[in-house]
Amino acid sequence: MNNSVYIGRFAPTPSGYLHFGSLVAALASYLDARAVGGRWLVRMEDLDPPREMLGAQAAIMTSLENYGFEWDGEWIRQSERHEHYQHVLEQLFSQGLAYACTCSRKQLEPHNGIYPGFCRNLGKPLDDAAIRLRVPELEYHFTDRVQGEFRQHLGQEVGDMVIRRRDGLYAYQLAVVLDDAWQGITDVVRGADLLDSTPRQLYLQELLGFAQPRYLHVPLIVQPDGHKLGKSYRSPPLKADQATPMLLRALRTLGQATPDDAADASPQALLKWAIPYWDSSLIPRRLTLAESELR
Ligand code: GLU
Ligand code: ZN
């Protein structure tokens, strides 16, 4: 991979402060890029103003700085990209690949999150409707660099997906695919909670003629019995004066080497130290909460 271009990114959502889980994702994407001399971009995924926390964008960028991260170029916001999303959306709609849906939450409730296709062939107008992309009755699969083979049948397991909500907000799945392609992202390194979004993104990439990036999903934190950790588990916001110990813990969580005498190192020095030692083959697939706290 040494001679090829590498462009990675960290794409936080400003619905809250960065926490340990986001640090692990940021660190993995940063080291994976820098270890091959690649570029590393930051993209603020501010698609959902009602869920945005006041001051979160600035706090996230300050945390990244305090933790020693250096991004390339100016960081961007998805809120500046609406025109582009709208353009693609209208194209998909006019080609009949997407359609308007006015189903209520109540109508969809019995279907366990899999869209039953009620509006698929009704030719409804765009106004006051969600827009759904038709998905093919096909299984999509990819090989994640850490999680291995992952497959999902889009028709059976997801159903036609919302790309613009009824309230006019653009969906993450659409924005992330358009922006990764526009920014030339070659490698997506992010949290394992997004593993099961990836097949939808593969389909959108295929539809729009984009290259498929490589994927690395950092370990899932699970309960000792192997069950996924509930959403109720939230680690606290990252503290500025804890940068070095938290970075050390994040390195251990990722299975990476740490220097012997790091306690007094600056976060910048620690990151610099870690770059040549980065070895993605050491990343564990999953960790229990207790393991991740011990590390
Ligand atoms: N904005 C997403 C999040 O904060 C990450 C999106 C991505 O990395 O694809 O969970
Ligand atoms: Zn519908």
Side-chain angles (χ1 to χ4, degrees):
M1 198 153 81
N2 275 325
N3 300 320
S4 62
V5 176
Y6 184 114
I7 306 178
R9 68 359 174 232
F10 177 56
T13 301
S15 53
Y17 298 116
L18 293 184
H19 52 85
F20 183 68
S22 21
L23 177 63
V24 170
L27 181 63
S29 68
Y30 184 79
L31 294 177
D32 201 53
R34 295 305 193 212
V36 294
R39 289 170 62 77
W40 189 70
L41 312 181
V42 174
R43 180 174 74 224
M44 195 60 69
E45 300 208 319
D46 56 347
L47 285 173
D48 193 344
R51 287 191 47 217
E52 186 161 338
M53 193 187 84
L54 196 68
Q57 295 201 14
I60 288 171
M61 297 313 296
T62 303
S63 281
L64 288 175
E65 253 169 44
N66 289 338
Y67 276 63
F69 292 98
E70 289 173 17
W71 52 92
D72 291 302
E74 300 274 319
W75 58 276
I76 67 143
R77 292 185 176 92
Q78 289 191 320
S79 56
E80 292 158 6
R81 300 261 306 142
H82 286 183
E83 232 173 284
H84 191 74
Y85 307 149
Q86 186 60 27
H87 178 73
V88 172
L89 203 110
E90 281 167 16
Q91 262 180 341
L92 294 171
F93 186 79
S94 67
Q95 291 166 348
L97 294 163
Y99 60 90
C101 163
T102 53
C103 292
S104 65
R105 200 164 288 178
K106 202 164 173 194
Q107 271 174 294
L108 298 179
E109 211 176 346
H111 300 277
N112 300 320
I114 302 165
Y115 184 66
F118 293 149
C119 300
R120 212 171 199 214
N121 301 309
L122 299 183
K124 295 194 168 184
L126 275 176
D127 347 288
D128 192 30
I131 303 184
R132 287 190 187 268
L133 183 71
R134 295 175 196 276
V135 299
E137 286 299 326
L138 287 175
E139 186 176 76
Y140 277 73
H141 64 93
F142 70 103
T143 306
D144 187 88
R145 289 170 52 201
V146 168
Q147 308 296 330
E149 189 75 0
F150 187 81
R151 36 186 75 239
Q152 190 178 54
H153 192 290
L154 289 183
Q156 288 165 18
E157 296 176 65
V158 180
D160 295 345
M161 66 203 227
V162 171
I163 50 176
R164 200 193 72 192
R165 283 171 19 186
R166 196 167 183 164
D167 58 10
L169 298 183
Y170 298 99
Y172 156 70
Q173 308 291 357
L174 178 72
V176 76
V177 166
L178 293 181
D179 289 343
D180 282 342
W182 173 65
Q183 295 187 292
I185 301 300
T186 60
D187 289 78
V188 170
V189 177
R190 61 186 177 192
D193 54 324
L194 292 165
L195 197 55
D196 72 353
S197 283
T198 308
R200 272 170 272 183
Q201 296 172 15
L202 298 183
Y203 170 58
L204 262 167
Q205 287 155 5
E206 181 187 87
L207 193 62
L208 298 168
F210 299 151
Q212 183 181 315
R214 285 176 290 256
Y215 287 97
L216 189 165
H217 287 86
V218 301
L220 204 62
I221 312 242
V222 295
Q223 295 173 5
D225 63 3
H227 279 98
K228 230 168 142 166
L229 215 58
K231 285 249 189 268
S232 57
Y233 173 78
R234 272 273 159 77
S235 44
L238 295 178
K239 293 202 190 81
D241 62 356
Q242 293 291 305
T244 295
M246 289 301 264
L247 282 166
L248 285 168
R249 201 181 129 199
L251 280 170
R252 290 187 205 109
T253 294
L254 289 164
Q256 304 299 303
T258 52
D260 294 331
D261 48 357
D264 298 324
S266 69
Q268 288 78 5
L270 183 53
L271 288 183
K272 198 166 168 202
W273 183 93
I275 291 168
Y277 284 98
W278 175 250
D279 182 351
S280 63
S281 73
L282 299 175
I283 304 174
R285 277 189 61 210
R286 37 185 66 216
L287 286 173
T288 65
L289 182 55
E291 282 168 333
S292 86
E293 267 169 0
L294 283 177
R295 280 162 192 253

